[in-house]
Amino acid sequence: MSREDIPFLFAMRETVSEDIDLLWTLRGLDEELVALNAALKRFPAQRASIAQRLAAERARLEHAKARFAELQKTRRALEQEIAGVSETERRFKGQQAAVKKNEEFRALQHEIEGAQNRRSELETGVLLQLEAEDRELAERPALERAVTAAEHETAERLAQIEAEERTDRERVAALEAERRTHVERLSAGVRTRYERIRTSLEGRALVPIVKGACGGCYRGQPPQVVQEARKRDRVLICDGCGRMLLWPPEGA
Ligand SMILES: [Zn+2]
């Protein structure tokens, strides 16, 4: 492979080193932008998970309220049934006072005892319902406190996230402004190429050669390319990913 076979950018101006320095600086800014933009994507998921936690606490409270209402409804039905049975009992007792025959009296007595047993069963049922209602009510304050705590925590976390996001977005805006000043100073051909690659390759247009390989796609570079890159007098293009390749400056 001769020097002419190596893919590189033509139209570098005379002060090539200025373009190369600008590109290297741009790369640093753009890498930070890539990282920041990736990090910004975490916020919607964080907000959703916080909202979900609050919704779960509220649902627990709502379920408890629904259970309590159901217990009350069941108890009221039992109480109505007791009223009915008591009425029946009174009626039989009235009839009993009027009958003359022992046989009829005993038959009514049997009915009355049946009604009394049924009433007693129903009353036990009412007591059990009341106990269950008391247990539900005893748990209520803890559930309500959990909702209040979740609401406070939600508000606090959302404010935190908002502040973090604002900081990140301000940094993004600052980086965008800073990179524009460098982009403007690039020679036209390099600028167009850089911006085009940046758009098509998720914000990373230029990568260093690391251990003889492309720092973007990790494809090993031929020794000639590495040798050329070391001169730092032009920008090479990676065959693998199409990104610009630069030998990192001393101390980078
Ligand atoms: Zn590559």
Side-chain angles (χ1 to χ4, degrees):
M1 196 187 280
S2 75
R3 184 164 186 171
E4 284 64 42
D5 295 331
I6 299 170
F8 68 97
L9 281 180
F10 294 91
M12 298 286 284
R13 59 184 166 197
E14 305 238 319
T15 51
V16 165
S17 72
E18 198 192 330
D19 265 342
I20 286 187
D21 290 344
L22 282 169
L23 283 173
W24 188 257
T25 307
L26 256 182
R27 171 202 165 265
L29 299 173
D30 283 345
E31 287 289 341
E32 199 182 330
L33 274 170
V34 166
L36 268 174
N37 283 323
L40 276 168
K41 292 193 179 122
R42 74 190 184 274
F43 293 120
Q46 284 183 356
R47 285 196 176 92
S49 104
I50 289 165
Q52 221 171 26
R53 269 212 305 279
L54 178 57
E57 289 298 346
R58 283 179 173 156
R60 264 157 50 109
L61 178 59
E62 288 314 309
H63 285 152
K65 284 180 178 172
R67 275 200 308 273
F68 184 71
E70 198 52 43
L71 287 170
Q72 281 186 317
K73 200 174 134 192
T74 308
R75 176 166 55 82
R76 286 194 194 109
L78 289 172
E79 284 166 348
Q80 258 178 12
E81 208 181 330
I82 289 173
V85 171
S86 300
E87 181 50 38
T88 308
E89 192 183 332
R90 260 196 306 280
R91 207 176 59 239
F92 286 143
K93 278 183 174 164
Q95 289 172 5
Q96 204 178 31
V99 298
K100 303 278 183 288
K101 292 179 183 165
N102 270 349
E103 206 171 291
E104 281 172 3
F105 185 89
R106 273 199 303 276
L108 281 167
Q109 187 59 30
H110 183 73
E111 295 291 347
I112 290 165
E113 280 166 14
Q116 280 170 343
N117 287 341
R118 179 67 188 138
R119 182 159 53 83
S120 167
E121 266 174 35
L122 291 167
E123 280 167 355
T124 304
V126 166
L127 285 178
L128 290 175
Q129 288 302 117
L130 281 171
E131 282 171 17
E133 285 171 38
D134 284 348
R135 279 197 301 274
E136 279 293 338
L137 281 184
E139 286 172 15
R140 185 68 61 81
L143 291 172
E144 282 167 348
R145 278 197 302 275
V147 168
T148 309
E151 281 167 352
H152 286 156
E153 196 193 331
T154 298
E156 214 168 280
R157 282 290 294 133
L158 287 178
Q160 251 172 30
I161 288 173
E162 202 186 316
E164 281 172 37
E165 189 172 9
R166 193 169 45 240
T167 305
D168 282 3
R169 291 202 184 281
E170 280 165 7
R171 180 71 188 138
V172 165
L175 284 166
E176 297 276 9
E178 195 183 345
R179 78 178 298 283
R180 271 196 299 276
T181 68
H182 295 285
V183 169
E184 281 161 10
R185 286 162 58 202
L186 283 170
S187 51
V190 176
R191 177 168 60 228
T192 308
R193 187 69 171 266
Y194 183 92
E195 294 293 72
R196 195 163 59 224
I197 301 175
R198 178 174 181 260
T199 305
S200 65
L201 291 173
E202 289 155 357
R204 304 182 71 209
L206 188 147
V207 290
I209 294 180
V210 182
K211 290 178 182 160
C214 165
C217 69
Y218 309 110
R219 173 181 286 205
Q221 300 296 317
Q224 295 94 323
V225 170
V226 176
Q227 246 172 37
E228 282 301 318
R230 276 176 173 280
K231 294 179 188 162
R232 298 191 99 242
D233 64 355
R234 54 183 173 164
V235 178
L236 305 171
I237 300 293
C238 171
D239 268 348
C241 63
R243 289 190 176 90
M244 298 177 170
L245 288 172
L246 263 191
W247 191 259
E250 294 292 329

